[in-house]
């Protein structure tokens, strides 16, 4: 029977349950999941003037063992910005002379020195002066800003050399400003202090007033210990980092406008297992940075807040692990939007990445919730080992190239085929591509040995298309999708793992551009599915199918233009899932809950389904199946296409929109 002669009746008949047979799934290595631990815990800070430290509760569940010993809580005094004005020492700043009423502070050479615990209310201005805190190791000092304007030309406007903890409280309704000069008068051989507000003790900002800090020398705020912020409005600029807390940065609330010459928010302690983290529970952030937006030496935890981030490097970067469990994000990044050298987990929040080189990258990427939209120049989601990432993007002169401008220039493919070779992410660049502008081509990787139960190319087409290179992957790399809603668009591979891809839930739409050497699904070991919804669209040259799973899947040839909606339908025309493609495509890999092994389904190309959301997603409705492309679902890979024909289209493919026999789109 020819493709053009098939009718809806035959399609419906083919969709009746097949013989009760199930193909055995290919065995796969178990993936180790990190131990979960709750957020609540004992505070490491004992603020004796309160009833004790309390934890800031959150619904987020930590999934990284890196975070197990870290304290993300806030003390009572962090959260309580109240003060007793009647017992406070009153300080009025003036170039003509500083006035002090109370104990614990003295005026010296146009500056104020605080030497004991207590509350100090400060107002007035200094054109070249400072506030210095040199209290006892057990002293807690609260400085209340109530209309303060301090500039210090050759050092910090506020310098805390000794105290147990210092609180800077912004009085209700107050406007305050601090600034420094472009060079500091430092002791020979010293590089600190280095910020407009510099502290060697734990430092907390709270209150409801506003504070503008202009850092012309290096940082706007730097704490050598903990830096916490629980309220206030901040306008921060710095030639280097805006908020720099060596041990940690914790933000519960506040409004932040940040412009940084290096990182926006950074924690740098890479020696202590329980330090070196950035933890954000709330607040609003308008963040512009010439380097990373948020940089953590060990752990980045984003559990709330709203973020508008524009950066030249990564929006969020952790040297070990990172978690997004809440908040909303609008991101434009010159390199990666979210990057962790170890595990990168998304289990909540709303993420909109409108421009980046790669969207979400880590050695292990766990997508366990949230609403995620990504537009990436290269990979939308990438699992690559840090060693591969660090060693791959190196130009011929030995220098590391970063960002979208460091991509590879394609040349003609060699006769050796199109196997993966080491590239920017360790495996994504192909034979014949020039890494980072080099004039030399890459050599072909050896042919894979094949695996029982799957064709030699791990379920990918045997001729004219990409495949994962079974046995060449990194078993430590995985993309795991278990929940959430993900719309992923890429100029390179959309879901790209140097190891495996594991899908067990959620809704995932993946689109790569047609006519390129990349595809929506790219893996080096296997790609399995046991639940959820997947529609992956792309070209034919490097297309990969899934390999196995308890939920049936299928691959089909279907040509569509940008803006066309692809619907997966059953024999009665009922819509199982649909997606509107942001760019042209030639193939589809689909899997939807309810698809059965051996049954025939249809791919319908047309307008959005009635009731679909802005992405064209619908899971109900009935469509006319005339012209549908038939696909046969399976729980094991049936290949993709039998190679490219003389016209450059998949062998056996009919005209766009024509129904075809399922044997035309799979390797028997």
């Amino acid at each position: 029977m020819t493709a053009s002669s098939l009718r809806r009746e035959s399609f419906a008949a083919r969709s009746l349950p097949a013989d009760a047979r199930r193909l055995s799934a290919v065995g796969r290595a178990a993936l180790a999941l990190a131990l979960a631990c709750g957020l609540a815990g004992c505070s490491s800070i004992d603020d004796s003037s309160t009833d004790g430290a309390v934890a800031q509760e959150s619904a987020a569940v930590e999934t990284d063992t890196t975070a197990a010993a870290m304290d993300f809580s806030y003390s009572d005094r962090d959260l309580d910005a109240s003060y007793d004005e009647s017992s406070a020492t009153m300080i009025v700043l003036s170039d003509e002379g500083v006035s002090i009423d109370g104990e614990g502070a003295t005026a010296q050479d146009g500056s104020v020195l605080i030497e004991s615990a207590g509350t100090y209310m400060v107002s007035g201005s200094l054109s070249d002066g400072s506030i210095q805190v040199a209290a006892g190791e057990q002293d807690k000092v609260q400085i209340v800003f109530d209309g303060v304007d301090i500039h210090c030309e050759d050092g910090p406007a506020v310098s805390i050399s000794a105290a147990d903890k210092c609180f800077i409280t912004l009085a209700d309704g107050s406007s305050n400003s601090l600034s420094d000069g472009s060079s500091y008068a430092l002791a020979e051989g010293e590089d600190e202090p280095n910020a407009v507000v510099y502290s060697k003790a734990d430092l907390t900002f709270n209150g409801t007033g506003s504070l503008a800090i202009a850092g012309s020398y290096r940082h706007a705020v730097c704490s050598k210990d903990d830096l916490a912020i629980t309220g206030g409005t901040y306008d921060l600029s710095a030639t280097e980092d805006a908020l720099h807390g060596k041990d940690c940065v914790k933000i519960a609330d506040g409004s932040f406008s940040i412009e940084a010459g290096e990182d926006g928010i950074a924690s740098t302690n890479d020696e202590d297992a329980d330090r070196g983290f950035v933890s954000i529970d709330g607040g609003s952030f308008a963040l512009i940075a010439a380097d990373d937006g948020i940089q953590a030496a060990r752990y980045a935890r984003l559990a709330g807040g709203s973020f508008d981030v524009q950066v030249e490097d990564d929006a969020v970067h952790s040297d070990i692990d990172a978690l997004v469990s809440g908040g909303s994000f609008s991101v434009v990044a010159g390199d990666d939007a979210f990057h962790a050298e170890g595990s990168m987990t998304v289990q909540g929040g709303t993420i909109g990445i409108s421009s980046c080189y790669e969207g979400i990258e880590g050695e292990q990427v766990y997508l366990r919730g949230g609403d995620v939209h990504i537009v990436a120049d290269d990979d939308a989601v990438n699992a690559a080992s840090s060693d591969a990432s660090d060693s791959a993007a190196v130009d011929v002169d030995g220098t590391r190239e970063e960002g979208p401008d460091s991509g590879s220039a394609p040349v003609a493919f060699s006769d050796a085929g199109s196997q993966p070779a080491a590239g920017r992410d360790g495996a994504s660049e192909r034979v014949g591509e020039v890494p980072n502008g080099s004039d030399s081509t890459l050599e072909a990787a050896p042919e894979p040995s094949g695996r029982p139960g799957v064709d030699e190319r791990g379920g990918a087409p045997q001729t004219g298309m990409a495949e994962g290179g079974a046995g060449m992957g990194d078993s430590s790399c995985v993309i795991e999708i278990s929940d959430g809603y993900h719309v992923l668009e890429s100029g390179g591979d959309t879901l790209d793992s140097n190891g495996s891809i594991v899908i067990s839930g959620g809704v995932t739409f993946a689109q790569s551009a047609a006519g390129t050497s990349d595809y929506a699904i790219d893996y080096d070991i296997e790609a399995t599915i046991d639940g959820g919804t997947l529609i992956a669209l792309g070209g034919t040259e490097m297309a990969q199918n899934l390999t196995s799973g308890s939920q049936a899947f299928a691959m089909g040839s279907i040509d569509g233009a940008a803006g066309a909606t692809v619907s997966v339908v059953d024999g009665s025309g009922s819509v199982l899932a649909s997606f509107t493609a942001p760019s042209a495509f030639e193939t589809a890999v689909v899997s939807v809950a309810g698809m059965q092994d051996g049954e025939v389904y249809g791919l319908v190309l047309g307008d959005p389904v009635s009731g679909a959301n802005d992405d064209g997603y619908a899971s109900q409705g009935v469509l006319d199946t005339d012209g549908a492309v038939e696909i046969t679902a399976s729980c094991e890979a049936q290949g993709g296409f039998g190679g490219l024909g003389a016209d450059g289209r998949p062998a056996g493919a009919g005209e766009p929109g024509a129904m075809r026999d399922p044997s035309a789109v799979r390797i028997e």
Side-chain angles (χ1 to χ4, degrees):
M1 180 178 295
T2 63
S4 60
S5 65
L6 295 175
R7 294 292 183 265
R8 185 190 309 173
E9 291 78 12
S10 64
F11 175 62
R14 287 176 179 268
S15 299
L16 293 174
D19 294 338
R21 59 182 178 86
R22 292 292 180 265
L23 299 175
S24 59
V26 176
R28 59 183 183 269
L31 298 173
L33 299 180
L35 297 175
C37 62
L39 281 179
C42 298
S43 170
S44 62
I45 302 170
D46 178 17
D47 290 341
S48 57
S49 60
T50 71
D51 292 333
V54 295
Q56 179 83 358
E57 297 294 338
S58 171
V61 177
E62 307 301 337
T63 57
D64 298 294
T65 54
T66 306
M70 294 177 177
D71 177 17
F72 306 127
S73 66
Y74 306 89
S75 75
D76 289 342
R77 287 195 68 179
D78 288 338
L79 299 168
D80 183 2
S82 64
Y83 52 91
D84 184 359
E85 186 172 346
S86 65
S87 63
T89 295
M90 310 299 291
I91 301 172
V92 179
L93 307 176
S94 173
D95 288 338
E96 285 70 40
V98 175
S99 171
I100 299 176
D101 182 8
E103 302 296 326
T106 57
Q108 298 181 350
D109 300 326
S111 295
V112 174
L113 176 64
I114 297 173
E115 295 183 285
S116 61
T119 298
Y120 301 84
M121 291 196 65
V122 184
S123 61
S125 63
L126 293 173
S127 61
D128 190 8
S130 65
I131 295 176
Q132 300 175 22
V133 178
E137 292 182 357
Q138 303 301 316
D139 289 344
K140 291 176 174 60
V141 176
Q142 182 180 28
I143 304 173
V144 180
F145 282 177
D146 189 9
V148 169
D149 182 359
I150 302 175
H151 175 81
C152 188
E153 185 61 26
D154 59 359
V158 177
S159 178
I160 303 159
S161 60
D164 176 38
K165 188 171 185 178
C166 188
F167 302 86
I168 296 179
T169 299
L170 307 180
D172 186 24
S174 68
S175 296
N176 308 279
S177 62
L178 305 171
S179 60
D180 65 359
S182 59
S183 64
Y184 281 12
L186 300 174
E188 185 176 353
E190 296 294 327
D191 60 359
E192 294 179 350
N194 55 17
V196 181
V197 179
Y198 175 82
S199 179
K200 290 185 176 181
D202 292 337
L203 175 62
T204 293
F205 289 85
N206 58 21
T208 56
S210 67
L211 175 61
I213 303 178
S216 299
Y217 175 57
R218 291 183 60 189
H219 308 314
V221 178
C222 176
S223 172
K224 301 295 288 184
D225 286 333
D226 295 358
L227 173 60
I229 303 175
T230 65
T233 299
Y234 301 87
D235 186 352
L236 309 175
S237 63
T239 58
E240 292 187 15
D241 301 344
L243 294 173
H244 185 110
K246 178 181 178 180
D247 284 352
C248 71
V249 178
K250 299 190 288 189
I251 300 176
D253 201 359
S255 177
F256 301 84
S257 175
I258 295 173
E259 187 166 354
E262 291 189 1
D263 300 329
I265 303 171
S267 179
T268 58
N269 188 334
D270 59 0
E271 298 177 354
D272 299 331
D274 60 345
R275 318 308 288 163
F277 65 85
V278 174
S279 176
I280 299 178
D281 291 286
S284 62
F285 301 82
L287 197 161
I288 299 173
D291 203 342
D292 296 334
I294 296 171
Q295 161 69 39
R298 299 187 67 84
Y299 192 65
R301 171 187 172 273
L302 306 176
S306 61
F307 300 80
D308 185 347
V309 181
Q310 299 180 52
V311 294
E312 294 184 21
D313 201 355
D314 298 346
V316 176
H317 183 105
S318 172
D319 293 343
I320 301 183
D321 298 331
L323 167 72
V324 178
S325 61
S328 61
F329 302 83
S330 174
V331 175
V332 174
D335 197 14
D336 302 341
F338 294 84
H339 180 110
E341 299 292 339
S343 70
M344 178 69 236
T345 302
V346 177
Q347 64 184 39
T350 301
I351 296 174
I353 303 169
S354 58
S355 179
C356 64
Y357 184 67
E358 292 187 337
I360 297 175
E361 183 175 39
E363 189 166 16
Q364 301 88 32
V365 178
Y366 302 112
L367 303 181
R368 296 172 173 170
D371 185 330
V372 179
H373 286 68
I374 298 174
V375 178
D377 292 341
D378 192 35
D379 304 336
V381 179
N382 184 28
S385 67
S386 58
D387 290 342
S389 296
D390 290 341
S391 63
V394 179
D395 207 345
V396 290
D397 62 358
T399 59
R400 179 174 174 81
E401 297 291 337
E402 296 287 354
D405 293 335
S406 64
S408 51
V411 297
F413 282 93
S414 69
D415 294 334
S418 53
Q419 304 297 314
R424 183 182 193 282
D425 61 6
S428 63
E429 289 186 323
R430 310 295 175 181
V431 176
E433 292 183 332
V434 180
N436 307 307
S438 166
D439 292 330
S440 62
T441 59
L442 300 171
E443 294 182 358
E447 287 286 326
S449 60
R451 292 177 292 154
V454 182
D455 75 66
E456 287 188 343
R457 300 190 179 271
Q462 294 187 15
T463 306
M465 294 187 177
E467 50 79 31
M472 298 189 302
D474 185 341
S475 61
S476 68
C477 297
V478 65
I479 297 172
E480 175 202 276
I481 304 174
S482 58
D483 202 353
Y485 180 84
H486 315 283
V487 180
L488 314 173
E489 180 183 357
S490 70
D493 299 314
T494 315
L495 292 169
D496 182 1
S497 175
N498 290 1
S500 299
I501 298 173
V502 178
I503 302 173
S504 61
V507 174
T508 303
F509 301 122
Q511 164 96 58
S512 66
T516 70
S517 59
D518 298 291
Y519 191 62
I521 301 172
D522 181 33
Y523 54 90
D524 289 345
I525 298 177
E526 63 181 357
T528 64
I529 188 161
D530 296 308
T533 294
L534 171 70
I535 297 179
L537 306 174
T540 59
E541 184 178 352
M542 306 289 278
Q544 283 186 272
N545 198 355
L546 302 172
T547 57
S548 64
S550 60
Q551 179 170 292
F553 54 91
M555 187 176 195
S557 173
I558 180 169
D559 290 339
T565 296
V566 177
S567 298
V568 184
V569 299
D570 63 15
S572 64
S574 296
V575 175
L576 304 181
S578 64
F579 172 55
T580 299
S583 59
F585 56 94
E586 298 163 332
T587 69
V589 175
V590 300
S591 182
V592 185
M595 288 180 64
Q596 298 297 313
D597 186 10
E599 295 189 16
V600 176
Y601 298 87
L603 299 177
V604 177
L605 195 63
D607 295 328
V609 177
S610 177
N613 68 9
D614 291 343
D615 304 310
Y617 173 51
S619 58
Q620 59 184 5
V622 179
L623 298 178
D624 190 334
T625 59
D626 283 342
V629 172
E630 288 191 358
I631 52 175
T632 301
S634 175
C635 288
E636 284 193 4
Q638 300 299 301
F641 307 103
L644 296 179
D647 60 356
R649 303 191 68 236
E655 293 302 314
M659 291 199 53
R660 298 177 287 112
D661 189 280
S663 63
V665 294
R666 65 184 201 183
I667 300 172
E668 297 293 339

